[in-house]
């Protein structure tokens, strides 16, 4: 499983002009997040960036990419080894359900690739591969469309990890209609 926790300051002033074409409630709007992903079974970590587009209030598509920043040292039969999280990438379809004005629950499913390298006694072996991923989580908007998101994602398939992806992401919605004329952030 993969735990993704992204906690950082997000700035909604980064409005993308391409998303500003329409201000209707159902207009597609982009969002992005940046945070940390921890692979439970591998004990490694990565910085994760995610970009998505809300197709409507209840459906979105996302892509994410991660770069490893935390390796795991271990010993196997007296030989020192290291497991390195090189990178991973995935694409998702996301279903969302609003719970009040500031919170939403979501479920995502998609396909991705995780690349890890295992080094033992000077020999390197690739560990990882393609996988179907699915999971659920919640987003809480602290100020306007800026918030914190947490999710648990299971990356099954050929990845030889019971990859628990847990992450907390700081999320901002990149849309000109997030800010009204007074400069206050609007609702999702």
């Amino acid at each position: 499983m993969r735990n993704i926790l992204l906690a950082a300051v997000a700035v909604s002033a980064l409005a993308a002009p391409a998303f500003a074409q329409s201000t209707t409630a159902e207009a597609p709007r982009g969002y992005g997040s940046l945070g940390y992903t921890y692979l439970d079974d591998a004990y490694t970590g990565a910085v994760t960036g995610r970009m998505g587009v809300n197709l409507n209030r209840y459906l979105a598509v996302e892509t994410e990419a991660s770069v490893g920043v935390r390796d795991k040292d271990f010993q196997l039969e007296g030989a020192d080894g290291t497991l390195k999280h090189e990178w991973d990438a995935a694409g998702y379809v996301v279903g969302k359900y609003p719970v009040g004005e500031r919170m939403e629950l979501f479920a995502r499913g998609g396909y991705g690739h995780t690349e890890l390298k295992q080094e033992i006694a000077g020999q390197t072996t690739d560990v990882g591969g393609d996988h179907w991923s699915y999971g659920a989580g919640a987003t809480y908007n602290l100020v306007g469309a800026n918030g914190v998101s947490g999710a648990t994602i299971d990356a099954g398939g050929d990845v030889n990890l019971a990859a628990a992806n847990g992450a907390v992401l700081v999320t901002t919605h990149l849309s000109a209609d997030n800010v009204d004329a007074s400069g206050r952030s609007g609702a999702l």
Side-chain angles (χ1 to χ4, degrees):
M1 288 267 228
R2 191 175 186 191
N3 294 312
I4 300 172
L5 298 176
L6 300 174
V9 176
V11 181
S12 63
L14 299 173
F19 298 123
Q21 300 294 324
S22 173
T23 58
T24 64
E26 294 296 315
R29 293 191 291 173
Y31 58 93
S33 56
L34 182 64
Y36 186 78
T37 298
Y38 179 76
L39 293 174
D40 289 347
D41 289 356
Y43 303 105
T44 62
V47 172
T48 301
R50 180 175 291 138
M51 297 293 290
V53 175
N54 288 318
L55 302 176
N56 60 43
R57 182 66 181 109
Y58 302 98
L59 186 65
V61 291
E62 292 179 346
T63 186
E64 74 176 17
S66 301
V67 176
V69 295
R70 180 178 178 215
D71 301 335
K72 171 66 177 164
D73 294 326
F74 62 91
Q75 281 196 334
L76 181 65
E77 298 179 6
D80 290 334
T82 302
L83 183 62
K84 296 182 177 185
H85 185 160
E86 296 289 312
W87 61 271
D88 61 71
Y92 298 100
V93 173
V94 183
K96 300 180 178 191
Y97 184 77
V99 180
E101 289 185 29
R102 292 182 175 236
M103 186 172 183
E104 72 182 8
L105 304 176
F106 60 84
R108 73 171 46 100
Y111 196 75
H113 181 87
T114 299
E115 190 67 33
L116 300 138
K117 294 212 183 289
Q118 178 177 285
E119 296 176 1
I120 300 175
Q123 293 192 348
T124 301
T125 305
D126 289 337
V127 180
D130 295 339
H131 52 84
W132 289 101
S133 299
Y134 57 89
T139 299
Y140 184 78
N141 292 316
L142 301 169
V143 178
N146 298 318
V148 177
S149 179
T152 296
I153 301 167
D154 183 41
D158 295 334
V159 177
N160 295 322
L161 310 166
N165 306 334
V168 169
L169 304 171
V170 170
T171 303
T172 187
H173 291 261
L174 305 174
S175 176
D177 59 354
N178 282 343
V179 180
D180 64 20
S182 67
R184 293 186 308 244
S185 294
L188 288 175

